[in-house]
Amino acid sequence: MPEQHEQDDQEREFDLRWADNAEHKEPSARARMLTARWKENPPGPVPFRPEPDHVARRQRRSGWLSTVIVLGCVAAVIVLLGYINFRTY
């Protein structure tokens, strides 16, 4: 039985080497779909990176806003727990 397994491994290796050395490789289904779509409606130019000023301002604002929201929630929970604790006495 080990001989059969060894032979299968050698055949698989041969098949993989043969496939890797093929001259023409078929494109993936997604590549074929995009090629067909872009023939009719080519995509417009897309910048590699967005403008840094616009992104930086938005990040600063969202950072402060997130901090205020988190601290507000923590304060609300503390007040709520204090109120519940006060009512139990």
Side-chain angles (χ1 to χ4, degrees):
M1 191 72 174
E3 292 175 13
Q4 179 66 27
H5 180 66
E6 202 173 287
Q7 188 177 14
D8 288 344
D9 285 344
Q10 289 175 352
E11 287 179 17
R12 188 176 301 122
E13 268 186 56
F14 174 75
D15 288 344
L16 290 174
R17 274 188 270 130
W18 177 79
D20 287 340
N21 293 332
E23 287 183 31
H24 176 73
K25 293 186 181 183
E26 185 175 330
S28 67
R30 178 161 175 76
R32 291 191 307 265
M33 178 196 68
L34 289 174
T35 301
R37 183 186 300 171
W38 289 345
K39 279 183 184 177
E40 296 173 10
N41 188 13
V46 178
F48 181 68
R49 293 188 175 128
E51 295 193 20
D53 294 339
H54 183 62
V55 173
R57 273 187 262 144
R58 192 180 312 154
Q59 286 176 348
R60 277 193 303 249
R61 222 178 296 145
S62 67
W64 280 107
L65 183 61
S66 298
T67 303
V68 168
I69 290 173
V70 168
L71 290 177
C73 289
V74 169
V77 168
I78 290 171
V79 169
L80 180 65
L81 290 175
Y83 178 73
I84 291 172
N85 212 8
F86 178 73
R87 297 225 0 159
T88 59
Y89 287 117

